[in-house]
Amino acid sequence: MKAAAEANPALRPPRAVVGSQISFEEEMFGAAFDGGVVRRFWGFVAPYRRQVWIGVAAVLVFTLTQVAIPLVLRYAIDDAIVAGESGADALRFIVIGFFAVVGLNYATNFVQELVVGRISGSVLFGLRRAMYRHLQHVSLSFMDRTEVGRLMSRLQGDVNALQEFLETSIFAIGDFVLLIGIVTVLLALDLELGLLTLSVLPVLVVVRIVWLPRARRAFLRARETSSIVNGALAENVHGIRTIQEMGREAVNFELFDEKAKDNLHAHLRGSKFSSVMIPIVDTLTGIAMAVVIVVGGGMVLGQELELGVMVAFLFYVQRFFDPIRSLTIQYSIMQRAMAAGQRIFEVLDVPVEVRERPDAVPLPREARAVELDDVTFGYAAGHPVLRNVSLRVEPGETVALVGPTGSGKTSITALIHRFYDVWSGAVRIGGHDVRDVRESDIGAHVAMVLQEPFLFTGSVYDNIRYNKADAARAEVEAAARAVGAHDFIGRLPEGYDTVLDQRGGNLSLGQRQLLSFARALVADAPILVLDEATANVDSYTERQIQRALARLLEGRTAIVIAHRLATIRGADRILVLRDGELVEQGTHDALVARDGLYARLYRLNHASFDDLAAGEGEGGDAHPAPET
Amino acid sequence: MSSSEPAAFPTPDRTLALVPDSVRTPRAAVAFDAGVLLRITRMALAHPWRMALGVGATVLAGVAQLFIPQLIGEAVDHAQGLLAGVGDDAAARTALVHAASLILAASVLRGLFTMMQNYQGEALGQLIGYRMRLDLYAKVQALSFSYHDRVHTGDLMTRGILDVEGTKLWVSTGVQRTILLAILVGGGAWLLMSIDWLLGCLALGFAPFVAVGASLARLRLRVLWVALQEELAVLTRVMEENLGGIRVVRAFVSQRFEMARFDTISGRALRLAHRRIDLFVKSTTTMTFAYFVSMGLVLWAGGEMVMAKELTIGELASFLAFMAILQMPVRQIAWTVNSVARTSTCGGRLFEVLDLEPEIRDRPDARDLEIRNGTVRFENVSFRYRKEGKGPPVLEDVSFEVRPGRVTGIVGPPGSGKSTIAHLLPRYYDVDDGRVTIDGQDVREVTLASLRRCVSVVQQDPFLFTAAIDNNVNYGDPWAERSTVRRATEAAQLNKYVDQLPEGYETLVGERGVSLSGGQRQRLAIARSVLPTSSVIVFDDSTAAVDAATERQIHEALADVTRDRAIIVIAHRLSSVMYADEILFLDEGRIVERGAHDVLVALGGRYAALYALQTRMSEGGEPEAEKEARGEGEAGTDEEEERGG
């Protein structure tokens, strides 16, 4: 640690870390068998029931041919070859039999691999689709409190674990039958020699049982250290500018080296565990062969055993450790699958709270007024966020919602779009209860602009027409022009065809906001719900945004969660909320004259109204849902 | 990187960058590159003992394995009493025991040597993986901003994870398998041929067929695999975006559209997965079949020969036993071919990064920066990010000086080159023309470490490490005591927030920790940057998300810390710069106005217009900026942020 030592002659260790300090490894192993998980998983396999049975049948026949091959050799030797000249016909006959077995082996091998591979792939994709589809409809409060990363690991890792489980389970049937088959054949061929030879099997089973948990710990540890090292590398890549700026290269390298060394040693330990099984299995095989040769050979000499049986034994001995290995691995796979399955079905069990009624009616185009009628609503039982709120927004009116964090502004906008259902009271659009109308009609009627403009990977063009996939190019460009986004789009490398980075990272915040305005404009919905961004943008962009906003509000019924004084003063009416109740409403002047909460907030005088409103609000932090 | 100035930054080819390198060119998936293999082998030779042990063990394991079929054959013949003479039971039994002991010995030796081979191979692979990981880590640290601007972070991660794994494949298993195979096939062929030429040919007949067939199939599988990975990467991205933007999806009731998008990509991926299965199954089952056909032919021809007394049964048995042994390694030829292809592509990609020379690096004769008082000078500086030279430069002929204890403010429209100044001073990029000096020393002539120790830049959108607040604040000086950390957070007005957290300075922040608001992140960045005793501090629009009153407090608290340092403040909000000793107004890379606030307002130019605009926008009747300058904001206006998270 040269550089570090220079920086600090006292050689005190630095108070520094690299890589994430939060571990998010999930419980990997569950019980080996969980009836509930298996039953529900079967529901996803059931559509392929026929293929599964074909697969299982193929696996069984394939296994039998495997058991049969050394037997055929035995008959070739005993009934034909040893017999000398007289066995010539028998030999040809047996060789034909051998080819028949081998042909069957080929066919069933083909069928089992193909069928099992294909169904497990299909089941994997089906399961993932079901989860993804479910997530499109589950209650938003679930989505609010669940990290995307966690959901992704369900959709990827956990689903894969179940696929592996399905695949190996079917083959495990084969391994099991193979083991039973070999044991049966050995005992049937010669009970005494069979028992002697098989005596090494329990030894292997015991060794595996002792070995497995230890080895698994070592493998897990190796995996864990790998993800730690990769996490630290990711930090180095993502934070490189800060690292270089702060001159942390030398210190970080030392810390990374420690983690990389840990990883190295964990892997070396893991490979010790996997290597040590090799000589054990080989020695046991050697012992079994020696037994067959000494005892079996002696029996052949004493005419108590046919030579072919001894040869068959020698071939079986070399095979019978494989199924034991596969079966013990299967045990770990099952444990992993059960844990993964529980997590998957947990997601699938999250209730869908908002559902379209079967008899939902269309919403007429002229429905433009928005009304909340004595609405009480909350995210967690017993904690209402809105209490008996009644309000009405007339067609074409712009209403500003103002109030401290946690006062319920965002909840009102979410209810208008029926993201959630009210506890009591009703939300109506043009006199129609939102619970009675078609979901897609609400979407067509209410355009939402969220505070954080969210863009999808795709061209600028596709992003603007996101909710109206058939919008013509001219329409998109007109919308971009109207909100003043056309100019900067034109400056992008490929104009409207420029592919935006994930979350629009190659655009500034202000530009992303303008795009989301354009998107709402293309949607051309009669009602607009807008959550004004609080983040500061430079004053040029700010002016552009205000202009675009004015254009967007033209001729629409609008509910705006407003943070800026300019926006608030521009509204027709201001609704002031506190603690889930509507406390004041009126125009700016009327409210100032009234000398209530709004006037107090206003007198504190700030460009961004929200900061002060929050300072003024009481108990604004008891809000379970994020205000985003 | 300032997000408000995208125009000033080179836009990397994002369309390509969306797809990581590894999957962009499936053809490269099956490359062969002797140079890469040689280089990795050389790296392995840095551990000569392990290498020698591994190779030695491989040879011995192969030889031990060759004995087993022969011994089986002998044993079969002994059992028939053929060798000892019919009737001599005792001698035959002794011979059986003898053969059995040899088989046991050969088995044990084979096991032990294979274990050694396996372990040493794995160890070599891990050691090389460790080495390459360190090298890559160090290289990423050394490469300049211009490189990181161009490269997608996902691409570097692919190299760090998948490519390191792929590269070590050749030493961990490839070399050993190649040697083992040569011994088994070579030695086996020689042994079998010496017994009987025709039967030997039949027994080994399947080997070349399987080797070639399986290898070709493997390479095709690899291409499919890479294509499948590409499709899955797209699917992952689509799912991530959908779930992250679920409110937008719901707001536009786009579930059906989103499901259709998912189904299209998912369907494509599933078809690829099925094609892969088909190809895999066809290849492996045919290989097994070929092997069994060979065996059948050996049985038939061998049986005839035994009956004709041209061969003993034991010899026939050893043919069959040998075939049993050979089955696995012949199949592994395909794996080996695959590992060569993978090592070639992965290694190629990895070495490509490791061999890069950072554009910005110490000159051979670089000295440490000597700070006398910390005067910063920009002398006729011109600069552009893209050197191909389309369009006007980002900075053109910019000159100014900042003396210790003085503050220079920089304002200007987005894309005017403000942040670029913050990038040139610590030498994140090199100027094209002119020079940047600190106390008369050109920044290109001093060591980077000493330069960056001397210059602190507070970023607008700081990167937080997923670690304790303490570790984040002392990032630039990990030896700093907690008391120093506390002083820095006080100066940045973050201490109150930290103190009310249950775990205080030990609270984890960053990607997965407590989420901080934009203002809190910026204040943390300020604390982080004022903690080391740098003589020059650049604030790059670093209070944009902090409300004006808090900014005012920060400004006052910092006055102590920054008294004798040279300060550059870059800002959109004029209230952040109006107290500066000199303000530069930048437009299209040029300084168009300069002077103190009052002078510029009186001048009635661009600055005055911006000032008028910003004060009008506050709409409070009185100019916002002036009020802020008087510090009229109430304390604790930041409450909302304080409670955030």
Side-chain angles (χ1 to χ4, degrees), chain A residues 4 8 12 14-15 20-22 69 81-82 84-85 91-92 98 102 106 109-110 113-114 118 122 125 129 132 135-138 140 144 147 152 156 229-230 233-236 238-246 248-249 252-253 256-257 260-261 263-264 267-268 271-272 275 279 282 286-287 293-294 297-298 300-301 307 315 405 417 419-420 439 443 450 454 456-457 466-467 499 501 508 519 536 538-539 542-543 605 610-611 614 621, chain B residues 3 6 14-15 18 72 75 78-80 92-93 96 100 103-104 107 110-111 115 118-119 122-123 126 130 133-134 137 140-141 143 145 148-149 153 157 160-161 236 240-242 245 247-255 258 262-263 266 270 274 278 281 285 289 292 296 300 303-304 306-307 313 320 414 428 452 456-457 463 465-466 470-471 474-476 478-482 508 512 528 544 547 572 610 613-614 617 627 637 640 643:
Chain A
N8 177 57
R12 193 155 43 86
R15 295 194 299 123
S20 170
Q21 299 304 300
I22 297 171
I69 286 170
I81 299 173
V82 175
E85 296 292 331
L91 178 65
R92 254 158 255 154
F98 181 86
V102 165
Y106 176 49
N109 192 8
F110 189 88
E113 294 270 1
L114 194 74
R118 275 182 163 240
S122 301
F125 278 76
R129 183 177 194 279
Y132 186 70
L135 289 174
Q136 302 303 313
H137 297 277
V138 294
L140 270 181
D144 291 339
E147 282 172 53
M152 288 306 292
Q156 293 172 314
V229 165
N230 291 336
L233 181 64
E235 178 196 89
N236 190 39
H238 292 289
I240 185 62
R241 289 178 176 80
T242 307
I243 289 163
Q244 292 193 352
E245 204 266 316
M246 295 269 150
R248 267 288 288 266
E249 290 94 332
N252 283 6
F253 187 78
F256 179 76
D257 189 17
K261 273 206 187 83
N263 179 39
L264 173 66
H267 274 279
L268 290 184
S271 51
K272 269 182 196 148
S275 302
D282 277 358
I287 291 173
I293 289 168
V294 173
V300 173
L301 276 175
L307 182 66
F315 278 92
T405 307
H417 204 291
F419 280 176
Y420 310 90
E439 216 177 301
L450 305 174
F454 193 95
F456 295 90
T457 301
Y466 176 74
N467 52 316
V499 172
D501 205 347
S508 76
R519 184 192 279 167
N536 275 294
D538 63 89
S539 35
E542 174 69 48
R543 211 153 44 140
N605 193 357
D610 211 44
D611 285 347
D621 51 0
Chain B
S3 63
R14 304 270 179 181
T15 39
L18 286 175
I72 286 179
H78 285 310
Q80 275 208 308
R93 279 178 206 278
L96 279 176
I103 282 190
L104 181 55
S107 297
R110 181 184 95 123
M115 173 180 74
N118 202 58
Y119 179 72
E122 190 61 28
Q126 290 297 341
Y130 164 74
R133 246 177 231 124
L134 286 192
Y137 191 88
V140 166
Q141 287 189 329
L143 287 168
F145 275 36
H148 290 289
D149 293 341
T153 51
M157 286 313 293
I161 299 172
T236 300
E240 254 171 5
E241 285 184 2
N242 171 289
R247 277 170 184 272
V248 181
V249 174
R250 300 275 174 101
F252 291 121
V253 199
S254 315
Q255 285 99 327
E258 288 288 316
F262 174 87
D263 284 340
S266 175
L270 183 59
H274 280 169
D278 294 355
V281 170
T285 53
F289 184 60
F292 278 131
W300 184 24
E304 298 272 4
V306 173
M307 286 188 285
I313 293 193
L320 294 174
Y428 297 153
R452 289 176 185 171
S456 273
V457 180
F463 182 85
F465 297 90
T466 306
D470 182 39
N471 294 124
N474 80 356
Y475 204 79
W479 286 275
E481 297 288 356
R482 178 60 66 79
L508 295 172
R512 290 175 175 278
R528 178 194 279 168
D547 69 276
H572 286 304
L610 182 63
L613 171 74
Q614 289 199 4
M617 271 176 53
K627 229 184 287 173
T637 46
E640 183 187 6
R643 276 200 299 268

